[in-house]
Amino acid sequence: MTDVDLEYARVRAVLDRPTLRLMSRPTSGVVLAVFRTVFDRDVQYVPADRMHLQVEEHVTRLQATGARVPASEQPAPQVQVQVQVQVQVQAQATDENRPNGRALCREWVTAQWLVRSNSPDGDEQYSLTSHALEALSLVDALSSDRALISESRLAMIVDAVHRWAARAEPDPAVQIRRLDAQIAELQAERDRLASGDEPAVVDADRMRDGYTNITDLIRQLPSDFKRVEEAVASMHREIVEDFRNEVRPIGEILDDYLARTDTLMEATPEGRAFEGAFELLRDDALLLRLRDDIATILEHPFAAGLTSAERRTFRNTVSILRQGIEDVLAQRRLLTGTLRDQIVAHDVVRDRELDAVLRSVNRRLAALMDGGGARDRVPLELLPPVAEVGTLRERFYDPDTEAVPPLIEEPDDDVFEELDVESLRRHGGPLLAELRTVLRSGTAESSDRAFHGLPPEHRRPVELFGLAHLLTGRPDFETAAATVPHHTVRPDGTAVTFTMPTADLAAPVPSGDDDDDTLEAR
């Protein structure tokens, strides 16, 4: 091949890129205007339903002004011959001229200008690809009034070349001389300012020139970050596709693809460039200094001629950097998680069976297309036919269901001991009658002494509940003015001591508390 053939092939490859295909279409003005209107500087994702409505509205408005708009592919009308009414034909003719937002968005996704994805909430949304962002950036750059050759642009090039030449210098002596020259220059400037001289302030024209060059670079950042996201997604698709086609042992597959996942960002030029930029932008002090420098530039008198949108865009430079890095990292985390799930839940046998079924379906469709005509019809049922199955037995024979139940055994009367009333009372509740009698007898001054005057069989632990019930309503008992030990005896003869409040039996009972269960002073 000659040089011109190679050059022609290279030019054709560039012209076939989605960016230039978007720029070279007759309707590119409408498409780019819709993209710029829907996706503002601060809007990266638009819900699918809102996107369809906005595209229809904007394209219809531009069509009314005489602009050449893209024609959407309308679905073929499915109207039966028997019901072709004149009203339906007129309605169909009216709708044919109206743009279809959903169809246009679908075409733009196919042309690699839009990306349709799912939001964290599960809703579908659209975003611009790197090709569309690059086209918008080119339009913005060409529409701005700026000089192609300027002092700030040349100074930026010279400074960049000088800085990287210093980093590429292998001789330590040369690097030391460069650093000494920079230190001497900076020290001279510091001495001049310290002596009282005025700082050298740049005029408004030169500041505007430098601002224009900076904004040109900032304008390219969204497309650069989006290009990295697309490179990561492409790498992920290749890995998943290779994984599905693998016939090696599962252990070898896991080791290979986990290693490729670890080096996902190092396998593409975009990923390597992003890793280098990420190491630089991860420095919070550097981003803080960048924010302060932007504020200083906007305080210059030349900034009074900037519009509010230009000032907001320039001030949001740090936010653009942070958002771009976060989007790339989120995409990498999402794809890494998807790849891990694919590796864990992958079933080679099931995938092979599915591939075989799909291939057989494709072969059958190809045979039908080769042997059929344009108007041939193939009977295709939407639902499979119902299987005609006779009545099946729901319950089978079980010998246990017809077995005779075992005989009821006669109860043994000697199992239980004979109980009497006295033994039941010993293990029952408190004896309120005996307690009320001893408390009202007046033989004791306090309730604890009256309780201790009872015989042992009447001083069970449960009797303390009855004593508390009878003393309810007395202030000294309810406020626990005095607590004393109460010695009780269990039915088996074991002694147990409890501490509880006591009441003065000589004190009067408050009015309203005199009933059958409450003691009163006599």
Side-chain angles (χ1 to χ4, degrees):
M1 296 180 65
T2 61
D3 294 340
V4 68
D5 295 331
L6 295 175
E7 189 66 22
Y8 175 77
R10 186 180 67 86
V11 172
R12 290 301 309 172
V14 173
L15 293 176
D16 290 339
R17 294 181 59 182
T19 301
L20 292 183
R21 283 193 283 108
L22 174 59
M23 299 290 294
S24 60
R25 283 195 173 188
T27 60
S28 59
V30 173
V31 178
L32 291 175
V34 171
F35 285 168
R36 175 56 70 198
T37 304
V38 176
F39 296 94
D40 196 4
R41 304 280 185 183
D42 301 330
V43 177
Q44 296 184 0
Y45 299 95
V46 177
D49 296 337
R50 187 194 306 173
M51 180 73 179
H52 299 157
L53 294 177
Q54 290 182 345
V55 168
E56 288 185 5
E57 179 182 355
H58 296 327
V59 174
T60 303
R61 182 182 300 274
L62 294 176
Q63 186 180 18
T65 61
R68 184 174 179 180
V69 299
S72 59
E73 297 179 358
Q74 298 288 342
Q78 300 177 355
V79 182
Q80 298 181 1
V81 179
Q82 295 83 353
V83 294
Q84 285 184 351
V85 187
Q86 187 66 24
V87 177
Q88 294 179 347
V89 175
Q90 293 178 357
Q92 177 184 349
T94 304
D95 293 338
E96 287 180 353
N97 296 327
R98 180 176 179 82
N100 190 334
R102 183 184 299 273
L104 288 175
C105 291
R106 185 169 57 248
E107 295 176 7
W108 295 342
V109 170
T110 305
Q112 302 181 20
W113 302 334
L114 288 178
V115 175
R116 188 165 185 168
S117 59
N118 292 330
S119 64
D121 298 335
D123 299 330
E124 292 185 343
Q125 60 184 5
Y126 286 100
S127 61
L128 294 177
T129 63
S130 61
H131 308 292
L133 290 173
E134 189 175 5
L136 293 175
S137 176
L138 182 59
V139 171
D140 294 339
L142 295 177
S143 61
S144 60
D145 297 332
R146 61 183 180 89
L148 298 179
I149 301 297
S150 61
E151 178 185 359
S152 62
R153 174 155 299 199
L154 294 178
M156 186 181 300
I157 296 174
V158 172
D159 292 340
V161 172
H162 180 74
R163 183 172 64 255
W164 287 105
R167 295 183 180 182
E169 179 59 52
D171 190 357
V174 177
Q175 291 189 2
I176 292 175
R177 287 198 300 269
R178 289 176 179 269
L179 294 175
D180 290 339
Q182 294 178 4
I183 293 173
E185 183 180 357
L186 295 176
Q187 185 65 36
E189 181 64 19
R190 183 186 182 282
D191 295 340
R192 186 184 67 83
L193 296 175
S195 62
D197 294 345
E198 294 293 332
V201 181
V202 182
D203 57 7
D205 293 336
R206 299 176 65 185
M207 282 296 299
R208 178 175 293 276
D209 184 33
Y211 163 80
T212 304
N213 292 327
I214 295 175
T215 53
D216 287 342
L217 298 177
I218 296 174
R219 196 180 294 114
Q220 301 173 9
L221 291 177
S223 60
D224 293 339
F225 283 120
K226 183 62 68 173
R227 192 175 293 109
V228 177
E229 292 184 43
E230 294 172 356
V232 175
S234 176
M235 174 65 70
H236 173 263
R237 287 192 297 269
E238 293 176 2
I239 291 177
V240 173
E241 186 66 26
D242 293 342
F243 180 79
R244 292 175 178 175
N245 298 330
E246 282 289 351
V247 293
R248 294 178 296 169
I250 188 63
E252 183 179 352
I253 296 174
L254 290 176
D255 294 339
D256 185 13
Y257 287 102
L258 288 177
R260 292 182 65 181
T261 303
D262 294 337
T263 60
L264 191 61
M265 296 301 295
E266 300 178 2
T268 59
E270 294 85 358
R272 289 191 295 268
F274 173 77
E275 288 293 339
F278 178 68
E279 293 294 333
L280 180 65
L281 297 177
R282 193 165 51 181
D283 188 358
D284 293 336
L286 178 64
L287 293 179
L288 181 60
R289 188 180 66 182
L290 176 61
R291 190 186 302 274
D292 295 339
D293 293 341
I294 291 174
T296 302
I297 294 175
L298 291 178
E299 292 176 358
H300 194 273
F302 95 96
L306 300 178
T307 63
S308 59
E310 292 175 344
R311 296 173 65 90
R312 183 177 65 254
T313 303
F314 189 60
R315 189 179 291 109
N316 292 338
T317 301
V318 178
S319 301
I320 294 175
L321 295 175
R322 290 186 181 275
Q323 185 63 39
I325 293 175
E326 182 60 30
D327 291 342
V328 175
L329 294 180
Q331 181 74 3
R332 185 169 62 176
R333 288 193 298 266
L334 176 62
L335 298 183
T336 303
T338 304
L339 179 61
R340 182 180 61 252
D341 296 340
Q342 172 71 19
I343 293 176
V344 173
H346 181 61
D347 190 349
V348 179
V349 177
R350 184 178 60 185
D351 288 350
R352 290 178 180 175
E353 293 177 352
L354 180 60
D355 292 340
V357 172
L358 294 178
R359 283 195 295 269
S360 63
V361 172
N362 290 332
R363 288 195 298 268
R364 181 58 179 166
L365 289 176
L368 291 176
M369 294 298 295
D370 293 339
R375 296 184 179 275
D376 292 344
R377 294 185 179 184
V378 178
L380 181 63
E381 298 181 358
L382 297 180
L383 296 177
V386 180
E388 296 182 359
V389 181
T391 303
L392 298 178
R393 294 180 58 88
E394 297 180 357
R395 300 179 60 185
F396 297 94
Y397 173 74
D398 186 2
D400 294 338
T401 58
E402 300 181 4
V404 179
L407 298 177
I408 300 176
E409 298 180 357
E410 295 293 335
D412 190 0
D413 296 336
D414 298 336
V415 174
F416 304 101
E417 298 180 357
E418 185 176 356
L419 300 177
D420 55 359
V421 177
E422 292 299 329
S423 63
L424 290 176
R425 292 192 66 186
R426 284 198 307 269
H427 294 84
L431 305 175
L432 294 179
E434 287 79 354
L435 288 174
R436 185 182 291 107
T437 301
V438 71
L439 291 176
R440 291 180 175 180
S441 63
T443 58
E445 299 178 355
S446 60
S447 61
D448 60 318
R449 293 184 180 181
F451 178 77
H452 291 145
L454 293 171
E457 61 272 12
H458 292 170
R459 286 190 289 112
R460 300 173 301 162
V462 72
E463 306 297 344
L464 296 179
F465 292 97
L467 183 63
H469 173 69
L470 296 176
L471 296 178
T472 300
R474 293 181 173 270
D476 52 352
F477 177 78
E478 293 189 353
T479 59
T483 58
V484 296
H486 291 64
H487 305 287
T488 63
V489 180
R490 291 175 176 172
D492 59 356
T494 305
V496 183
T497 302
F498 297 93
T499 301
M500 66 176 291
T502 183
D504 185 4
L505 299 180
V509 179
S511 60
D513 295 336
D514 188 10
D515 53 18
D516 294 339
D517 294 336
T518 305
L519 296 177
E520 60 179 347
R522 300 297 183 189

